[in-house]
Amino acid sequence: MTPRHQRTLGRRKLLFALGGAAVALPAAATLAPHALAGSSDDQAAPKAAGSLPLTVVNDSGSFGNGNVHLYIVGNQDGRQVRVTPDGTLAPIALSDNGPDGFTDYAISLAGSGETRLSLPFMSGRIYVSLGAKLKFKAVADGNGNAALQYPAGWVASDPNYGVLHDCAEFTYNSSGMFCNTTMVDMFSVPLSIRLTGAKDQTTGTVRAGGRAAAFEAVRQVEAFSRLVVDDTRIIAPGHGLDAGLFAKDYLAPYIDEVWSTYTGRDLTITTNAGTFTGRVRGDRFTFDGPAQVSFGKPSTRDVLFCDGALAAPNDGTTGPVAAVLGAGFNRSTLLSHPAQPTTDPGDFYRTELTNHYSKAMHTVTEDGKAYGFAFDDVADFASYIQDTAPTGLRLTLTAF
């Protein structure tokens, strides 16, 4: 499978498909730019059926089915939608808000055992909350259309801050199912996804004791320790930075050293478009190759969000180079490997200044894959799977 950072369709597709999702939320609550490509590499692949069986399994061991609530929300054909308990697709409506000002889109799990649902064509998220329901609010977007405010568990003022919850992401259309578990914003509930069809694939599974190990690993790194919120969640460092919980200049020494090092030597980056060779010229990292692309010196925030100076437009040239640079910064491989992307995970996170949050996420998963930052799919290390002829999706809440 071609690494997604080298494909023609960008990872931001879901972000823009859900555009209204962040309406009226704090700036920090926008959806992270690690969306699914929603496309197959094989144009002759069989087409997906119109409805996909979804099985939800509660193996948390900490909460019974009656205390687990499910939400399937997202976008279809440019409108905000949700899946109802009977498997139908319903548009978001302002009238869905109850007396408390919030919707109740919760889907209850079966009284015991597995819960079987039906997933229609759409792009979105499958949320689970444990012990309490989530508060989604229907609002009018800038065009007057009904949209949905999503939970922002990394924002202390968010009404869902005290609720134990997490989500998986997906795009399901006639080209197939494209899905991932995500820790880009935060990590709270261990989730595993299994996709059957042309192949049988599973990803996201946290090893036994892995949740506690992740919390402890992040807590042990002083610069990251404030990102751990009790036993509820670990906030990703980018959001922690915005909340004043993480140093704005944490990666500055490493960034400065990269800029200094590549003033006098070349860095090569290989993408589907070809090989780009770059040096720092003046104040910009400029690459020549199939096209000339250049980047200003990023801030710590730019690196953690893979945005700002490292923004990746869906143009086939600047975007893929930015993604590889972003991955190299987060994995701290740019100084040790002048040819990127680095593909040996044994070389990742070896320096003191690195993304210890992402390191912890990868360490605790059974397959070593996780979405610890937005471009974690560079060299195929994200907890992402796809199938052009899917027959079923299984979401499992694994043991705490």
Side-chain angles (χ1 to χ4, degrees):
M1 184 174 73
T2 304
R4 286 171 54 236
H5 73 280
Q6 295 186 2
R7 297 179 198 168
T8 54
L9 287 177
R11 68 184 90 274
R12 296 173 184 264
K13 186 173 181 181
L14 180 60
L15 170 66
F16 294 125
L18 292 176
V23 169
L25 283 177
T30 54
L31 295 177
H34 54 294
L36 310 173
S39 176
S40 166
D41 296 322
D42 183 359
Q43 297 301 314
K47 298 298 183 182
S51 182
L52 187 69
L54 169 65
T55 303
V56 180
V57 184
N58 175 22
D59 283 342
S60 68
S62 301
F63 295 83
N65 278 18
N67 287 316
V68 177
H69 311 285
L70 187 75
Y71 306 80
I72 307 174
V73 292
N75 176 280
Q76 185 195 62
D77 297 331
R79 63 173 183 165
Q80 296 271 307
V81 293
R82 64 182 176 100
V83 175
T84 67
D86 63 7
T88 60
L89 206 61
I92 302 301
L94 299 181
S95 59
D96 291 343
N97 292 326
D100 64 350
F102 298 99
T103 66
D104 186 356
Y105 291 160
I107 300 172
S108 299
L109 300 193
S112 62
E114 301 177 350
T115 301
R116 292 178 172 83
L117 301 166
S118 181
L119 195 64
F121 283 165
M122 63 180 291
S123 293
R125 287 178 168 179
I126 304 173
Y127 281 89
V128 295
S129 67
L130 291 74
K133 291 185 176 181
L134 288 171
K135 294 181 178 180
F136 289 85
K137 186 179 183 66
V139 297
D141 66 15
N143 296 316
N145 299 316
L148 199 61
Q149 288 182 339
Y150 280 62
W154 51 94
V155 178
S157 61
D158 188 88
N160 300 290
Y161 188 75
V163 180
L164 188 63
H165 70 279
D166 223 312
C167 71
E169 298 178 327
F170 70 95
T171 290
Y172 176 51
N173 55 34
S174 61
S175 296
M177 169 59 81
F178 312 84
C179 51
N180 65 266
T181 61
T182 176
M183 299 87 164
V184 167
D185 294 321
M186 67 181 200
F187 171 66
S188 182
V189 181
L191 298 175
S192 173
I193 49 174
R194 178 184 178 187
L195 181 60
T196 55
K199 296 184 289 184
D200 189 336
Q201 307 169 79
T202 299
T203 194
T205 307
V206 173
R207 59 177 171 80
R211 182 181 188 270
F215 275 64
E216 184 60 20
V218 176
R219 191 181 287 115
Q220 289 298 313
V221 182
E222 183 177 359
F224 287 72
S225 60
R226 296 175 67 198
L227 302 175
V228 180
V229 181
D230 302 321
D231 191 42
T232 304
R233 66 180 58 87
I234 311 172
I235 299 171
H239 290 308
L241 185 154
D242 286 346
L245 302 174
F246 191 79
K248 294 182 179 180
D249 60 351
Y250 171 75
L251 286 170
Y254 186 86
I255 295 167
D256 288 346
E257 191 173 359
V258 168
W259 238 244
S260 174
T261 296
Y262 290 106
T263 299
R265 64 187 288 194
D266 291 339
L267 175 70
T268 61
I269 290 179
T270 301
T271 74
N272 268 6
T275 298
F276 294 78
T277 302
R279 284 199 182 197
V280 175
R281 305 170 191 166
D283 60 351
R284 298 187 66 82
F285 209 145
T286 301
F287 291 82
D288 296 308
Q292 186 177 89
V293 299
S294 68
F295 306 88
K297 183 186 288 189
S299 65
T300 294
R301 190 183 190 279
D302 293 342
V303 169
L304 295 174
F305 280 108
C306 298
D307 203 2
L310 294 177
N314 189 23
D315 61 0
T317 52
T318 301
V321 175
V324 175
L325 273 178
F329 273 117
N330 277 280
R331 296 167 180 164
S332 57
T333 61
L334 291 177
L335 294 174
S336 55
H337 293 74
Q340 293 286 331
T342 315
T343 59
D344 182 354
D347 294 331
F348 297 172
Y349 311 112
R350 298 293 296 272
T351 60
E352 181 179 355
L353 291 181
T354 192
N355 190 335
H356 288 280
Y357 168 83
S358 183
K359 177 182 179 180
M361 297 302 105
H362 286 271
T363 299
V364 302
T365 57
E366 289 188 353
D367 59 5
K369 296 187 176 184
Y371 244 127
F373 58 91
F375 294 139
D376 219 349
D377 56 358
V378 168
D380 199 24
F381 285 98
S383 49
Y384 164 85
I385 47 180
Q386 68 176 43
D387 200 301
T388 57
T391 57
L393 179 66
R394 186 179 186 91
L395 176 72
T396 302
L397 287 68
T398 56
F400 275 52

